[in-house]
Amino acid sequence: MQRLDAGLRHRVRFLLNGRAVEGDAEPRMLASDFLRQVLGATGTHVGCEHGVCGACTIRIDGKAQRTCLTFAVQLDDCRLETIEGLTDDKGDLNDLQTAFRRLHALQCGFCTPGILMSLDQLLEEEPEADEVRIRDVLSGHICRCTGYQGMVDATLEVMAARRNAAGGEE
Amino acid sequence: MKPAAFDYVRPDSVDEALEVLAASGDEARVLAGGQSLTAMLNMRLANPSVLIDIARIQDLKNISLVDGMIEVGAAVTQAALLAWPDLVKHQPLLAQILPNVGHYQTRQRGTVCGSLAHAEPSAELPLALATLQGEVVVQGKRGRRVLSAADFQTGMMTTDVAADEMITACRFPVADAQSRSLFHEVSQRHGDFALVALAAVSTAQGVRLGVGGVAEIPRIVDLPLLQGEAVEATLNDLAWELDGVDDPHASARYRRELVRRIGKKIINEVSHATS
């Protein structure tokens, strides 16, 4: 049994975008704050801090989740993917990010990292998802400037492109 | 929006969790998915000095069939139950309800038992438990209790679970092959709190109707098979009895109208399938 005292900092270790990372956190520190303030991974944004807006969504053990509703100490030994992991080593945008840019699926971009991480899971697990399903996933996010149509279009386009690419390889 | 300080304990077994609970009394809260509790901590609506994280206890991660019931361990997420291959066959009402619980993202961490423990008046899972007449298994160092849904939820966001006890599982009866069930809710946006949520299950005598989102706890009524105007009259009485209030999301009058209209629709559909 592990017991971590309230007032002390405790070592937390996990995989972040394939790389082993560690840092110290008090039990009350939110995962979102740990990523940004301790690890300097500021691509994950913090919006409402009570689980409503979805801006802080990342993938924990493959599943899109809100980091403002998770404590850093709960991340021990987990596998995390954040927006920083979507681009390749050179920093080039991936297909979904490129489609977002081209189809105007973002404006201010504050909510975008969280939305991309949710859609990243959807694209991987449900490559045949339809518009209703995409909108269901997007309902866990709030975008206050662009609206959702461009995001739906971008996701459908990437799904079709990935299917074509996969078909072409056979 | 940062929580106050707390000790964080990660027990490896239920027994260890119960030891900590017994030692901490009402200073402790059990953390599973944290999709309600962590938000409450962030807003400082809850200020426990100890958090007991049960999410990694293997014994609490099972979904199994026990004596005609689907038993769901306290660390099973809503997404895991929704993905359980036998769910549609064994309990179609739950399969209808789960996609309406929170969002894709919160269902992947939030647990079934955690939602029951939170006992929010408009939450879908407490409504499912009450309508299906399920059970909640509660454990403490003093022993184990099995609570009926009616005994479990005692009020708005309050349950019969004592400070030194924790929920270890909940149980939903396996649906009768003949029975029919339907769920419908109205919310401002998919995944938001339900303004009104209704569930109906056909029974040997007629229909059991559950209403959430209006009164402080889910309201369950067993109705005989009714036809035409009798359905409307019964629902009208029920809509008034629920004593809903005006709040920023909807007026009491609108909620009554939803109970009448959606109630009629789902009662008729469930009854016609039976007869």
Side-chain angles (χ1 to χ4, degrees):
Chain A
M1 176 161 52
Q2 243 187 322
R3 183 172 192 122
L4 309 178
D5 282 346
L8 301 177
R9 288 188 192 173
H10 308 272
R11 186 47 55 105
V12 178
R13 296 182 178 84
F14 52 84
L15 276 182
L16 178 62
N17 300 317
R19 203 163 49 87
V21 295
E22 57 181 33
D24 296 332
E26 285 178 35
R28 72 186 189 121
M29 183 174 240
L30 296 172
S32 45
D33 289 336
F34 186 81
L35 286 169
R36 294 175 56 85
Q37 297 166 17
V38 178
L39 299 180
T42 53
T44 299
H45 291 171
V46 173
C48 70
E49 292 200 313
H50 62 285
V52 175
C53 78
C56 65
T57 303
I58 69 166
R59 293 181 70 177
I60 303 175
D61 291 334
K63 304 296 182 191
Q65 297 175 19
R66 290 148 161 38
T67 47
C68 74
L69 296 185
T70 306
F71 294 107
V73 292
Q74 293 178 281
L75 299 176
D76 255 333
D77 305 321
C78 291
R79 181 170 51 83
L80 274 62
E81 276 115 30
T82 63
I83 186 71
E84 287 92 344
L86 285 193
T87 49
D88 63 18
D89 292 342
K90 290 182 295 181
D92 288 340
L93 302 181
N94 79 356
D95 52 355
L96 183 63
Q97 290 170 302
T98 308
F100 258 55
R101 183 159 74 180
R102 193 161 35 75
L103 296 172
H104 200 70
L106 69 150
Q107 212 172 129
C108 85
F110 191 86
C111 64
T112 312
I115 289 170
L116 288 169
M117 296 320 290
S118 286
L119 294 174
D120 189 53
Q121 183 193 343
L122 184 72
L123 284 167
E124 185 183 307
E125 292 184 357
E126 300 172 41
E128 306 285 332
D130 61 5
E131 178 171 346
V132 171
R133 177 61 169 156
I134 295 168
R135 287 189 183 276
D136 175 41
V137 169
L138 286 174
S139 78
H141 294 274
I142 293 176
C143 167
R144 284 291 91 119
C145 48
T146 319
Y148 306 93
Q149 189 58 50
M151 303 176 197
V152 173
D153 294 343
T155 311
L156 287 170
E157 191 187 278
V158 169
M159 282 177 173
R162 287 190 187 183
R163 274 198 297 273
N164 284 339
E169 281 164 18
E170 278 166 14
Chain B
M1 303 287 275
K2 313 289 182 193
F6 53 80
D7 289 344
Y8 172 84
V9 186
R10 192 156 59 212
D12 298 313
S13 65
V14 172
D15 284 344
E16 283 185 359
L18 296 179
E19 286 288 338
V20 182
L21 263 180
S24 333
D26 53 10
E27 292 294 301
R29 288 293 291 268
V30 174
L31 173 71
Q35 299 303 286
S36 302
L37 179 58
T38 307
M40 303 250 301
L41 295 170
N42 289 358
M43 293 188 279
R44 303 206 180 190
L45 294 171
N47 288 298
S49 58
V50 183
L51 268 194
I52 305 169
D53 184 356
I54 60 164
R56 297 192 189 198
I57 298 178
Q58 280 304 326
D59 289 349
L60 298 178
K61 290 191 180 179
N62 300 321
I63 304 171
S64 51
L65 288 175
V66 183
D67 300 332
M69 306 278 259
I70 304 164
E71 185 168 298
V72 182
V76 173
T77 63
Q78 294 144 13
L81 182 57
L82 187 55
W84 188 50
D86 295 337
L87 187 66
V88 175
K89 181 176 69 175
H90 287 320
Q91 194 35 268
L93 184 66
L94 268 181
Q96 288 178 63
I97 282 180
L98 278 165
N100 295 281
V101 178
H103 300 282
Y104 176 74
Q105 298 81 1
T106 57
R107 288 193 295 271
Q108 304 199 106
R109 193 170 189 96
T111 61
V112 177
C113 289
S115 178
L116 298 176
H118 190 55
E120 152 72 37
S122 63
E124 293 86 358
L125 284 166
L127 174 65
L129 187 84
T131 309
L132 294 170
Q133 299 187 322
E135 297 171 345
V136 178
V137 184
V138 167
Q139 247 176 277
K141 276 199 79 175
R142 293 173 292 160
R144 183 168 166 278
R145 299 191 291 149
V146 179
L147 301 171
S148 68
D151 289 338
F152 170 73
Q153 188 167 350
T154 51
M156 179 164 70
M157 302 180 85
T158 42
T159 68
D160 194 50
V161 182
D164 60 349
E165 290 178 318
M166 61 178 269
I167 297 172
T168 54
C170 60
R171 296 170 177 167
F172 299 92
V174 170
D176 188 319
Q178 266 64 262
S179 90
R180 272 278 307 244
S181 55
L182 268 177
F183 171 78
H184 192 96
E185 75 171 26
V186 173
S187 57
Q188 291 188 327
R189 209 173 51 122
H190 178 73
D192 279 358
F193 290 112
L195 300 176
V196 170
L198 288 109
V201 191
S202 63
T203 60
Q205 294 77 34
V207 175
R208 186 181 313 123
L209 182 72
V211 186
V214 187
E216 294 196 337
I217 62 172
R219 174 67 188 278
I220 308 302
V221 282
D222 273 300
L223 304 171
L225 272 183
L226 298 168
Q227 302 284 335
E229 282 174 14
V231 178
E232 286 169 24
T234 305
L235 284 167
N236 185 47
D237 291 346
L238 176 65
W240 282 100
E241 252 174 61
L242 287 165
D243 209 15
V245 292
D246 292 321
D247 69 21
H249 306 294
S251 64
R253 185 178 173 189
Y254 180 56
R255 287 194 162 94
R256 285 193 296 273
E257 190 60 15
L258 289 178
V259 170
R260 287 189 285 252
R261 290 198 187 195
I262 302 169
K264 185 178 163 188
K265 181 170 169 281
I266 66 174
I267 286 176
N268 283 338
E269 284 184 32
V270 166
S271 323
H272 288 150
T274 318
S275 54

